[in-house]
Amino acid sequence: MTSLSTPVQPATQTFDATSVATRVRQAQRRFGAATASQRTAVLNTLSTLLDARRNHILEANQRDLDTAETGGLELPLRKRLRLDHAKLDVLRAGVDQLAALADPVGRTLRRTLLDDGLELRQVQSPLGVLLIIFESRPDAVIQIGSLALRAGDAVILKGGSEARHSNRVLVDCLRDALAAHDLPIETVVGVEERSSISALLDQDQHIDLVIPRGSGELVRTIQNSTRIPVLGHAEGVCHLYVDRDADRAMAVRLTIDGKCDYPAACNATETVLVHRDFLPHLAGMCHTLREAGIDLRCDTESRAVAPWAEPATEEDWRKEYGDLTLSIRVVDDLDQAIEHIHQHGSAHTDAIVTKNQATGEAFLARVDSASVFWNASTRFADGFRYGLGAEVGIATGRIHARGPVGIDGLLTTRWLLHGHGQTAGAYGPGKQSFLHRSLPLEEDDS
Amino acid sequence: MTSLSTPVQPATQTFDATSVATRVRQAQRRFGAATASQRTAVLNTLSTLLDARRNHILEANQRDLDTAETGGLELPLRKRLRLDHAKLDVLRAGVDQLAALADPVGRTLRRTLLDDGLELRQVQSPLGVLLIIFESRPDAVIQIGSLALRAGDAVILKGGSEARHSNRVLVDCLRDALAAHDLPIETVVGVEERSSISALLDQDQHIDLVIPRGSGELVRTIQNSTRIPVLGHAEGVCHLYVDRDADRAMAVRLTIDGKCDYPAACNATETVLVHRDFLPHLAGMCHTLREAGIDLRCDTESRAVAPWAEPATEEDWRKEYGDLTLSIRVVDDLDQAIEHIHQHGSAHTDAIVTKNQATGEAFLARVDSASVFWNASTRFADGFRYGLGAEVGIATGRIHARGPVGIDGLLTTRWLLHGHGQTAGAYGPGKQSFLHRSLPLEEDDS
């Protein structure tokens, strides 16, 4: 098995996005029509290669790490850049899991007998060509690459230059796994030049979905510069509403978990809305939050019980702090809490604390966000915690996929009709009628 | 019940798209949280109003028809503009059907027990705010308007000026039905000024989906001028591949139905690809097609057996004729046929005629179009024929909805988590583990 260690697009050539995207589309059409067992075999080979090439991968990663240190890359970014044996084991385990997964391609979602001998099936199909734009973490190459292979998709992977060598050897693993089973290597393509992004974002004829993995700024920039659908979220401004019927200890616990468990996460709690009737307990709560290291920004009413807090400005209500800062606002009732969430939130994840069943259910029914929680921390909004397996990302758009997205987000459907020469003109008023009989899915042998 | 016969946006005012879209978004949030029985009641009232206001509706329609005749509007457009008692009955029957339909909002699609007392549900939810842009047919106001009400969505309806009076009275029926049940009338808004379209297409913060109903040109123009997702198809370049193992009579029958049943339809057959081994039968087939009134454009090889046909040019392969013209090309094999379809087609609907099971299954597996048929006419690609009930449109995009789209295309999902105060920080390596137990959907009482 040869290692194709040269990047697809040498830096010296002019980047031709149309040519790259066209080739990847063609490769995807061949790869997407491969059998489930072929795709499984590719994943098994990928797992083997990740093991066999450990040293090669870690050497390449060390080159990136050396450059990063010399170049003064910040420590958190260097941490994300680093691969080690443990991380490779986790990546392999993920690939093995996908190899063991029931193949999603061709799965029948609906079967209808339109008429005798005229059967319609709606089947899951590869979405097509994905463009992944990511920063630092070379792990993403394998995580997203293997998901794409399971789904029958092709991927163009644009990583950050800081992970150039790591990304190359990992992309090679994917391509060599394809080549080992006579499937087109152009199903996975790595691109390196930063300037290639805008040209690729113009390829809406050949690229079906863009998945940016990185800062909110990256996502926003991409959303604003392409007609290709973007799966992602620019912001996570998540709320916890402490109802008048909230359990006090639970309100404190969920606030601390929501803010402190991982403040930089998109599902961290940024604003706590407090029902006016809860005010008598707020002083104690704020005290505990302060002791937990939380820096409070309070509206006038809540600041009356926490005078040491900074006053909140209008801007605080829209801020994803990313650190231990938390804003607090007092509201009149559920309506005002929901109004605030809809007006200032990012429709990512919002939660209520209440013992009152009617209030809890009203919150779940009315809050128009991707994830809505009752008596649970906003931090639960995550593909792994939801049991989706590998997570493609969290989507705050309302089209196609919403909230934490697993492999389903990388699939589309097709309608397959199997007849015996029927013509549409034979049906209609005064002519033949359709049966439209729903058929069980069990007989599925696709 | 009062009739609000004034349009929302008098032509003398400057159109403020942001203000309109914001109000509709607010209305949708209230309407989307209404109960299933409230939405059903609105639909029942709408049906009653359509009956009670028959004369009023037909009078308004007559005014539009008079103007159209005076203005010299073409006959086919005037036909589409005309309402009559029979058409109103059909519209009412559609509304009654939707009123009887199990409410899709809140339907549970997935239930997972993350841990004891921590239950996750993925539920269907209203998509949000729809912008419908349509021409001529005032029927669309009720068809799409009632679908939107069933799905908990709000709609902004931009009709053609030729149907101004008809659209107004029909929009009033929808708004009065909402008002009768104390639901926000701004859930349905009619806009009239042509210049409002581009301003509305900028409202990607408040409008979630655009559905253009009209010519391919209209759809293309809209797709090129908005960041809001567009549900629709610009073109239908559908193929029929006549395999070497095709039944001759069936090949002729499916070609004639595909081309002649309704040549202006998007699912009409535009190109017939013929396997070289079928050539001995092609002369007879072309003769029959000619007798059926079909005007052939043939490549060199097929023209050898139908010398009276026009020669096909490269442009013919991408043309949606819309009339009785049909192009024919001879191909070497299945691969070349599929290659042609992927290269020149619009991924709308493509069919094969063959008695060979392996070939039929390969075609279904490999052709990357929204609808793929084996031994059936391309004309079957249609929401009614598929048994989807009311059709929102046919989508050739690969994201969100594909092929004929029913009410599912007007819905999204939300993730609802019901806990008892659990924190995410309590789970992880060396701490609590998730159960991730899939639960049956039957217990759904949402």
Side-chain angles (χ1 to χ4, degrees):
Chain A
M1 206 172 290
T2 56
S3 169
L4 307 162
S5 287
T6 41
V8 169
Q9 200 56 43
T12 46
Q13 281 185 21
T14 310
F15 183 77
D16 181 349
T18 307
S19 151
V20 170
T22 308
R23 281 185 288 136
V24 175
R25 167 72 82 198
Q26 280 164 357
Q28 190 280 322
R29 288 210 165 113
R30 275 187 57 209
F31 177 69
T35 63
S37 56
Q38 280 178 299
R39 278 193 299 275
T40 301
V42 172
L43 289 168
N44 284 328
T45 302
L46 174 62
S47 170
T48 307
L49 288 179
L50 286 175
D51 198 32
R53 296 186 184 172
R54 270 173 189 276
N55 294 334
H56 186 52
I57 295 166
L58 295 180
E59 277 161 31
N61 187 243
Q62 190 58 51
R63 289 176 65 187
D64 286 331
L65 287 169
D66 292 345
T67 313
E69 205 175 357
T70 316
L73 198 71
E74 287 169 42
L75 189 63
L77 288 180
R78 268 152 52 198
K79 260 188 167 166
R80 291 169 61 197
L81 180 55
R82 177 181 301 282
L83 292 174
D84 54 29
H85 284 285
K87 277 197 187 174
L88 286 179
D89 287 339
V90 170
L91 285 179
R92 278 193 72 199
V95 173
D96 292 342
Q97 242 178 42
L98 283 173
L101 198 74
D103 195 68
V105 176
R107 193 163 74 88
T108 303
L109 303 179
R110 188 198 295 245
R111 269 178 81 210
T112 311
L113 194 68
L114 302 191
D115 196 1
D116 287 328
L118 190 61
E119 185 187 322
L120 181 72
R121 281 184 301 147
Q122 186 183 24
V123 301
Q124 276 192 328
S125 304
L127 185 63
V129 177
L130 316 175
L131 169 60
I132 319 294
I133 300 172
F134 59 107
E135 295 168 338
S136 289
R137 291 187 185 278
D139 325 43
V141 171
I142 300 300
Q143 283 164 347
I144 302 258
S146 55
L147 269 168
L149 294 183
R150 180 78 285 171
D153 292 324
V155 267
I156 302 173
L157 294 151
K158 166 67 187 76
S161 59
E162 69 287 352
R164 184 187 302 124
H165 298 100
S166 316
N167 291 342
R168 268 186 212 175
V169 294
L170 293 172
V171 165
D172 284 349
C173 289
L174 288 157
R175 290 165 66 98
D176 291 347
L178 286 158
H181 299 278
D182 286 326
L183 288 165
I185 55 168
E186 299 285 67
T187 300
V188 177
V189 163
V191 292
E192 298 190 345
E193 291 186 318
R194 189 159 179 78
S195 61
S196 63
I197 297 183
S198 65
L200 286 168
L201 290 175
D202 277 342
Q203 298 296 317
D204 53 298
Q205 291 302 307
H206 300 296
I207 297 174
D208 302 301
L209 188 66
V210 183
I211 306 180
R213 309 252 292 195
S215 67
E217 210 184 310
L218 174 78
V219 179
R220 237 188 324 272
T221 307
I222 289 168
Q223 282 172 334
N224 285 327
S225 47
T226 185
R227 289 178 46 222
I228 308 171
V230 177
L231 191 154
H233 63 284
E235 264 151 358
V237 179
C238 304
H239 301 79
L240 180 71
Y241 168 51
V242 178
D243 183 46
R244 73 169 156 197
D245 298 322
D247 177 277
R248 286 160 59 183
M250 193 189 289
V252 174
R253 191 163 70 242
L254 295 186
T255 305
I256 291 179
D257 186 70
K259 180 78 264 184
C260 306
D261 185 50
Y262 186 16
C266 57
N267 55 15
T269 304
E270 309 295 350
T271 299
V272 172
L273 301 166
V274 178
H275 192 289
R276 175 152 294 117
D277 295 354
F278 191 84
L279 267 176
H281 316 300
L282 191 60
M285 176 164 161
C286 287
H287 195 73
T288 313
L289 298 180
R290 189 193 198 185
E291 282 180 344
I294 298 174
D295 182 17
L296 296 182
R297 304 285 159 92
C298 291
D299 74 337
T300 315
E301 272 182 278
S302 56
R303 201 156 168 262
V305 303
W308 35 268
E310 292 272 317
T313 66
E314 192 64 20
E315 277 165 29
D316 279 295
W317 311 133
R318 293 174 184 276
K319 220 163 198 168
E320 187 175 11
Y321 295 111
D323 58 21
L324 285 174
T325 315
L326 179 83
S327 59
I328 297 187
R329 182 184 168 190
V330 175
V331 294
D332 292 338
D333 53 17
L334 180 72
D335 284 350
Q336 206 185 1
I338 294 178
E339 176 64 28
H340 178 104
I341 289 169
H342 286 159
Q343 199 186 334
H344 302 291
S346 62
H348 187 298
T349 301
D350 300 291
I352 185 174
V353 195
T354 186
K355 285 180 282 197
N356 186 311
Q357 179 160 352
T359 312
E361 283 174 359
F363 189 86
L364 291 186
R366 290 175 52 196
V367 172
D368 183 18
S369 299
S371 291
V372 191
F373 297 172
W374 175 12
N375 290 344
S377 163
T378 58
R379 287 275 298 137
F380 280 106
D382 167 278
F384 169 71
R385 289 173 184 150
Y386 279 10
L388 302 182
E391 183 180 276
V392 175
I394 293 186
T396 49
R398 307 165 69 92
I399 296 292
H400 185 60
R402 198 173 189 208
V405 182
I407 197 165
D408 286 354
L410 302 187
L411 295 159
T412 182
T413 61
R414 294 181 305 143
W415 297 90
L416 307 183
L417 181 64
H418 186 183
H420 290 82
Q422 289 91 339
T423 56
Y427 295 82
K431 296 190 273 185
Q432 281 172 258
S433 306
F434 287 102
L435 291 178
H436 288 155
R437 189 192 305 149
S438 182
L439 297 175
L441 299 181
E442 286 78 339
E443 293 174 47
D444 169 25
D445 57 356
S446 64
Chain B
M1 208 172 292
T2 56
S3 169
L4 307 164
S5 287
T6 42
V8 169
Q9 202 54 44
T12 46
Q13 284 185 17
T14 309
F15 182 77
D16 181 350
T18 308
S19 149
V20 170
T22 308
R23 280 185 289 135
V24 175
R25 168 71 83 196
Q26 280 164 358
Q28 190 279 323
R29 289 211 163 113
R30 273 187 57 207
F31 176 69
T35 63
S37 58
Q38 280 179 298
R39 279 192 299 274
T40 301
V42 171
L43 289 167
N44 284 328
T45 302
L46 174 62
S47 170
T48 309
L49 288 179
L50 286 175
D51 197 33
R53 296 184 184 172
R54 271 173 188 275
N55 294 335
H56 185 53
I57 295 167
L58 295 179
E59 278 162 30
N61 186 244
Q62 192 56 51
R63 289 175 64 187
D64 287 331
L65 288 168
D66 291 347
T67 312
E69 204 173 0
T70 317
L73 197 71
E74 287 168 41
L75 190 62
L77 288 180
R78 267 154 52 201
K79 259 187 167 166
R80 292 170 59 198
L81 181 55
R82 178 181 301 282
L83 292 174
D84 54 28
H85 285 284
K87 278 197 187 174
L88 286 179
D89 288 339
V90 170
L91 284 179
R92 277 193 71 201
V95 173
D96 292 342
Q97 245 177 41
L98 283 174
L101 198 74
D103 195 69
V105 176
R107 192 163 76 87
T108 302
L109 303 179
R110 186 199 294 246
R111 269 178 82 211
T112 311
L113 195 67
L114 302 192
D115 194 3
D116 287 327
L118 189 61
E119 186 185 323
L120 181 72
R121 283 185 300 147
Q122 186 184 25
V123 301
Q124 277 194 324
S125 304
L127 185 64
V129 177
L130 317 173
L131 169 60
I132 319 294
I133 300 173
F134 59 108
E135 296 168 334
S136 289
R137 291 188 186 276
D139 325 45
V141 172
I142 299 300
Q143 283 164 347
I144 300 260
S146 55
L147 268 169
L149 294 183
R150 180 78 284 169
D153 291 325
V155 266
I156 302 173
L157 294 150
K158 166 67 187 76
S161 59
E162 69 286 352
R164 182 185 303 124
H165 298 99
S166 315
N167 291 343
R168 267 185 213 177
V169 296
L170 293 172
V171 165
D172 284 349
C173 289
L174 287 158
R175 291 166 64 98
D176 292 348
L178 285 159
H181 299 279
D182 287 327
L183 288 166
I185 56 169
E186 300 284 68
T187 300
V188 177
V189 163
V191 293
E192 298 190 344
E193 291 184 319
R194 192 161 175 76
S195 61
S196 63
I197 296 183
S198 65
L200 286 168
L201 290 177
D202 278 342
Q203 298 296 315
D204 54 296
Q205 291 302 310
H206 300 297
I207 297 174
D208 301 301
L209 189 67
V210 183
I211 306 179
R213 309 254 292 195
S215 67
E217 210 184 309
L218 173 76
V219 178
R220 236 187 326 270
T221 307
I222 288 169
Q223 283 173 332
N224 286 325
S225 47
T226 186
R227 289 181 44 221
I228 307 171
V230 177
L231 191 154
H233 62 286
E235 264 151 355
V237 179
C238 304
H239 301 79
L240 182 70
Y241 168 51
V242 178
D243 183 47
R244 71 171 158 196
D245 298 322
D247 178 279
R248 288 161 56 183
M250 193 190 288
V252 174
R253 190 163 73 241
L254 294 187
T255 305
I256 291 180
D257 185 72
K259 181 79 263 183
C260 306
D261 184 50
Y262 186 17
C266 58
N267 55 15
T269 304
E270 309 295 350
T271 299
V272 172
L273 301 167
V274 178
H275 192 289
R276 175 154 292 117
D277 294 355
F278 192 85
L279 267 176
H281 316 301
L282 191 59
M285 175 163 160
C286 286
H287 195 73
T288 312
L289 298 180
R290 188 192 198 183
E291 281 181 343
I294 297 175
D295 183 14
L296 296 182
R297 305 284 160 91
C298 292
D299 74 337
T300 315
E301 273 183 277
S302 57
R303 202 156 166 261
V305 303
W308 36 266
E310 293 271 319
T313 65
E314 193 63 20
E315 277 165 31
D316 279 295
W317 309 133
R318 295 174 182 274
K319 220 165 198 166
E320 185 173 13
Y321 295 112
D323 58 22
L324 285 174
T325 313
L326 179 82
S327 59
I328 297 188
R329 182 185 169 191
V330 176
V331 293
D332 294 338
D333 52 17
L334 180 72
D335 284 350
Q336 206 185 3
I338 293 178
E339 176 64 27
H340 179 106
I341 290 169
H342 286 160
Q343 199 185 336
H344 302 292
S346 62
H348 186 296
T349 301
D350 299 291
I352 184 174
V353 195
T354 186
K355 285 181 282 196
N356 185 312
Q357 181 161 349
T359 312
E361 284 173 359
F363 189 86
L364 291 186
R366 289 176 51 195
V367 173
D368 183 20
S369 298
S371 291
V372 191
F373 297 172
W374 175 11
N375 290 343
S377 163
T378 59
R379 287 276 297 136
F380 280 108
D382 167 276
F384 169 71
R385 288 174 185 150
Y386 278 10
L388 302 182
E391 182 180 276
V392 175
I394 293 186
T396 50
R398 307 165 70 92
I399 295 293
H400 184 61
R402 199 173 187 206
V405 182
I407 196 165
D408 287 353
L410 302 187
L411 295 159
T412 183
T413 61
R414 293 182 305 143
W415 297 91
L416 307 182
L417 180 65
H418 186 183
H420 290 82
Q422 288 91 339
T423 55
Y427 295 83
K431 298 191 271 183
Q432 281 171 260
S433 308
F434 288 104
L435 291 178
H436 288 155
R437 189 190 307 147
S438 181
L439 297 175
L441 299 181
E442 286 79 338
E443 293 174 45
D444 170 26
D445 57 358
S446 64

